[in-house]
Amino acid sequence: MRVGILTGGGDCPGLNAVIRAVVRVGLGYGHEHVGIRRGWRGLLEGTTIPLDMRSVSGILPRGGTILGTSRTNPYKRDGGPEQCMRMMGELGLDALVAIGGEDTLGVADKLHKEHGMKVVGVPKTIDNDLSGTDFTFGFDTAVQIATEAIDRLHTTAESHDRVMVCEVMGRHAGWIALYAGLAGGADQILIPERPANVADVIETVLARHRRGKDFSIIVVSEGVVLDQDQLQEAELDEFGHPRLSQGSVGERLGQHIKDKTGFDTRVTVLGHIQRGGTPTAHDRVLSTRFGANAARLVEKGRFGHMVALRGNEIVDVPLADAVAELKTVPDAVFRIAEPFFG
Ligand code: F6P
């Protein structure tokens, strides 16, 4: 079988480890592999690189993706889906492994259902907001980076009696903020799933001061909307997601805290630091297990499915399960953090 591999959407630590595992395990089945450049854009344009034992050598610990990525949506191009199918034929591909998040896998699901594309999915996102799997690879690395940052902010906050606001990624789901906030002992965590009441945050900070704690650490997801915010129209990407880089919720929250308390308040926006660089050992192992099982799904002809983690087992689920709805933080899970606030 000749198998194409593509990575789509935002990059994520562990993508290369997946590519390596698909190739190494696939070679054992007698598959040959073709790397599609820059996500769905590469399939539309037919831009590829050879993928063999040699080209995946040494990439296990490397961040990013050797294939490149994009947020191109073939369904936003005239004749895009048909062009993808035509290219599958022209490149002589018998199957495709699509490594991506909700958007990339949503396209894979549609191409499978509407055009019979022989595609297998691998769930990727640092945000961990994909349904159908307990965890996505990349999340552990992002949490580790954010936790280390919070630990570092703690010591400088304490030395200077400062309020430190730490903004982490998480457009629609607060998993990174919750896990890193819990691990780093944050005094307040704000996530997009819950109303963000600025007065409550300020009261938390003031209460800490009243009991002699002159510093505070507030962790906020980038996707949080503050109750004091004026809603503005954000620019949308090809999948209809707002681009959040136009202003930082952390900066706005920090300003409110400073204005209302007079305390010295500083803001750190972690941004793409959380997405770049080498994956944790946990993510390397998860990516390798996902990639190896994706090669097995191709071999078995389980198209229209995605590999997933359930408990500690790798299973496969229909792509539709992964993209039906976003996996946001349930209230009961968030409540685990609440006793540690303040
Ligand atoms: O979906 C992953 C993610 O890292 C989000 O947390 C973030 O909002 C978004 O991608 C940013 O993407 P980019 O900088 O690639 O536009």
Side-chain angles (χ1 to χ4, degrees):
M1 272 179 134
R2 196 168 147 85
V3 182
I5 305 177
L6 66 77
T7 52
D11 73 343
C12 173
L15 284 167
N16 286 325
V18 177
I19 296 166
R20 169 180 174 268
V22 174
V23 171
R24 297 269 310 237
V25 174
L27 284 172
Y29 293 121
H31 300 168
E32 26 165 336
H33 302 90
V34 177
I36 314 283
R37 299 277 291 132
R38 303 188 190 91
W40 294 114
R41 185 170 137 202
L43 191 59
L44 287 167
E45 295 171 357
T47 40
T48 64
I49 55 168
L51 273 184
D52 54 18
M53 190 79 162
R54 203 186 161 95
S55 48
V56 300
S57 168
I59 66 171
L60 170 65
R62 267 174 62 188
T65 160
I66 59 166
L67 299 177
T69 185
S70 73
R71 294 192 190 277
T72 301
N73 182 353
Y75 279 87
K76 290 280 167 174
R77 307 285 148 98
D78 271 350
E82 294 74 18
Q83 170 68 2
C84 286
M85 294 310 294
R86 203 164 31 246
M87 256 323 153
M88 289 283 290
E90 273 180 35
L91 297 171
L93 297 178
D94 302 301
L96 183 71
V97 176
I99 311 167
E102 182 210 0
D103 298 331
T104 304
L105 299 180
V107 169
D109 186 41
K110 275 176 99 172
L111 287 170
H112 173 71
K113 287 199 178 116
E114 296 172 6
H115 297 271
M117 182 181 273
K118 294 183 174 171
V119 59
V120 155
V122 179
K124 161 248 65 156
T125 165
I126 64 163
D127 291 357
N128 196 40
D129 57 2
L130 262 181
S131 294
T133 183
D134 290 352
F135 288 98
T136 50
F137 70 87
F139 173 64
D140 183 69
T141 306
V143 169
Q144 185 62 34
I145 292 166
T147 303
E148 273 174 34
I150 295 167
D151 287 347
R152 287 172 193 278
L153 291 173
H154 244 118
T155 60
T156 177
E158 194 165 4
S159 306
H160 286 265
D161 296 339
R162 278 177 175 153
V163 179
M164 291 288 189
V165 175
C166 179
E167 183 186 304
V168 299
M169 277 189 167
R171 196 161 38 186
H172 305 293
W175 292 107
I176 298 176
L178 178 64
Y179 272 56
L182 261 174
D187 302 306
Q188 181 72 253
I189 301 170
L190 300 180
I191 62 172
E193 292 86 340
R194 295 173 63 101
N197 186 313
V198 174
D200 284 353
V201 178
I202 289 168
E203 179 46 34
T204 301
V205 171
L206 290 171
R208 281 176 58 78
H209 274 246
R210 287 197 293 271
R211 64 184 176 85
K213 288 282 188 188
D214 293 333
F215 72 95
S216 296
I217 305 285
I218 315 294
V219 176
V220 55
S221 296
E222 62 179 346
V224 163
V225 178
L226 303 177
D227 58 350
Q228 314 241 343
D229 276 347
Q230 309 276 347
L231 285 183
Q232 287 167 354
E233 286 228 343
E235 192 194 331
L236 302 182
D237 68 17
E238 286 196 11
F239 286 93
H241 299 299
R243 291 192 209 273
L244 295 174
S245 55
Q246 292 159 323
S248 147
V249 64
E251 296 286 352
R252 296 197 299 281
L253 181 63
Q255 196 58 52
H256 285 305
I257 296 172
K258 198 173 192 164
D259 291 349
K260 287 278 168 356
T261 64
F263 298 150
D264 196 1
T265 304
R266 300 298 165 100
V267 178
T268 301
V269 179
L270 292 184
H272 293 83
I273 302 277
Q274 296 156 97
R275 248 172 48 185
T278 188
T280 56
H282 173 93
D283 275 336
R284 293 182 203 186
V285 173
L286 183 59
S287 300
T288 300
R289 294 176 75 196
F290 275 166
N293 279 280
R296 273 179 213 127
L297 291 192
V298 169
E299 177 63 16
K300 286 201 247 158
R302 300 271 297 158
F303 300 118
H305 282 70
M306 165 189 102
V307 293
L309 183 71
R310 292 275 171 85
N312 198 26
E313 297 293 309
I314 305 288
V315 297
D316 65 88
V317 299
L319 279 168
D321 285 8
V323 297
E325 57 173 344
L326 273 188
K327 186 182 68 190
T328 52
V329 176
D331 241 37
V333 174
F334 185 79
R335 279 201 292 272
I336 298 167
E338 281 178 336
F340 305 101
F341 291 167

